[in-house]
């Protein structure tokens, strides 16, 4: 079962990487017709962040069902080793930008209540989330204040893409045998991103999307809001971020249910090229 799931995951990741290469070709094709007000040169951004992630919702494998509500403190306390990696890469030319946004985490939550609040269930999971897509800039406004190397224009981008989820899950009730499951799926998503300068160094970013539409999940969505501060470190143009992020799913497949919201504060940094 695990081997088959790993083969499915590898195949899905290969598809995602192939799509990312297509995005690079699409940006090159856009060179002949840049949108008004946009820079026709290439731009590259690499972002990494820490997500202080909590959970909310319901997880079920067959008859074993757990309330997954837990704060980041609960997750931190329950996980023997909290491992998480998160990052985002954007590459674009003219009005088009391709992106890949990934997160991997291994977390646990102890003593969740079962059906009707009966019994204690430990939840352990290893998950990977990869968002990928193509953005198109529909608005590019003037800067507020004097231009600096890492400053941002006021801008609005729309995007279309997908959200890939791979999950290895174990539900361990106190009174019956543990249930395990390996699952992966892909959902289409559409979204919008807004960047608004506040000063010559400070700006606000907000982006969100919705998807699923019954293709895999009944619905999936995400929302992120961050405050960015532009600076230089070791002669590199950088932006330091702080904000809040949430991703949700309503996914059901047979006896498996993943009706979960991952949410919490996020801290990060972007390097600009």
């Amino acid at each position: 079962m695990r081997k088959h799931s790993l083969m499915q995951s590898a195949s899905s990741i290969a598809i995602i990487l192939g799509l990312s290469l297509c995005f690079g070709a699409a940006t090159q094709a856009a060179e002949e017709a840049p949108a008004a007000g946009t820079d026709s040169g290439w731009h590259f951004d690499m972002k990494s962040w820490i997500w202080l992630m909590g959970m909310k919702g319901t997880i079920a494998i067959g008859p074993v069902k757990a309330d997954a509500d837990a704060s980041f403190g609960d997750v931190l306390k329950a996980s023997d080793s909290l491992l998480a990696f998160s990052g985002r890469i954007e590459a674009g030319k003219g009005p088009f930008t391709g992106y890949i946004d990934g997160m991997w985490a291994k977390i646990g939550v102890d003593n969740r209540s079962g059906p009707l609040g009966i019994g204690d269930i430990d939840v352990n999971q290893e998950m990977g989330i990869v968002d990928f897509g193509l953005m198109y800039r529909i608005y590019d406004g003037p800067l507020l204040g004097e231009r600096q190397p890492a400053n941002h224009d006021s801008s609005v981008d729309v995007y279309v893409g997908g959200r890939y989820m791979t999950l290895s899950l174990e539900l361990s009730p106190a009174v019956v045998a543990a249930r395990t499951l390996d699952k992966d799926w892909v959902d289409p998503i559409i979204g919008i991103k807004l960047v608004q300068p506040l000063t010559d160094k400070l700006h606000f970013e907000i982006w969100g999307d919705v998807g699923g539409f019954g293709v895999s999940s009944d619905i999936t969505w995400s929302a992120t809001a961050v405050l960015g501060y532009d600076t230089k470190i070791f002669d590199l143009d950088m932006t330091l971020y702080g904000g809040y992020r949430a991703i949700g799913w309503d996914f059901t497949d047979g006896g498996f249910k993943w009706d979960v919201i991952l949410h919490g504060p996020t801290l990060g940094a972007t390097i600009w090229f």
Side-chain angles (χ1 to χ4, degrees), residues 207-253:
W207 66 92
D209 57 65
V210 64
F213 312 119
V215 174
S216 292
S217 302
D218 289 338
I219 189 170
T220 183
W221 59 269
S222 78
T224 304
V226 295
L227 193 63
Y229 178 76
D230 299 329
T231 187
K232 272 184 173 287
I233 299 179
F234 303 116
D235 291 328
L236 292 174
D237 292 329
M238 297 187 67
T239 302
L240 305 179
Y241 289 101
Y244 203 88
R245 190 182 195 202
I247 303 178
W249 297 263
D250 185 354
F251 176 82
T252 304
D253 184 14

Side-chain angles (χ1 to χ4, degrees), residues 77-224:
K77 182 179 179 181
S79 301
D80 294 332
S81 58
L82 180 60
L83 302 175
F85 302 93
S86 185
R88 181 182 179 97
I89 298 174
E90 295 185 4
K93 193 173 187 180
F96 290 97
T97 299
Y99 71 90
I100 298 178
D101 189 326
M103 188 276 287
W104 178 85
K106 183 177 182 180
I107 62 175
V109 183
D110 289 343
N111 301 324
R112 301 297 97 189
S113 63
L116 304 177
I118 301 173
D120 291 331
I121 301 176
D122 293 344
V123 180
N124 292 288
Q125 55 202 346
E126 185 175 339
M127 69 178 75
I129 306 168
V130 180
D131 286 2
F132 57 94
L134 184 65
M135 298 192 293
Y136 181 79
R137 182 148 297 180
I138 61 174
Y139 173 76
D140 201 351
L143 290 165
L144 298 181
E146 183 181 354
R147 186 176 181 84
Q148 299 293 333
N151 271 3
H152 300 268
D153 291 327
S154 301
S155 62
V156 179
D157 296 276
V158 293
Y159 59 92
V160 59
R163 172 164 299 127
Y164 168 70
M165 175 68 161
T166 181
L167 180 68
S168 182
L169 177 67
E170 180 182 67
L171 300 182
S172 302
V175 294
V176 296
R179 294 293 183 104
T180 61
L181 179 139
D182 297 316
K183 195 74 178 175
D184 58 274
W185 66 92
V186 180
D187 291 303
I189 57 173
I190 56 173
I192 188 167
K193 178 181 178 181
L194 168 69
V195 177
Q196 175 59 53
L198 302 176
T199 70
D200 62 343
K201 292 284 189 180
L202 201 63
H203 71 275
F204 178 71
E205 294 185 22
I206 183 168
W207 66 92
D209 57 65
V210 64
F213 312 119
V215 174
S216 292
S217 302
D218 289 338
I219 189 170
T220 183
W221 59 269
S222 78
T224 304

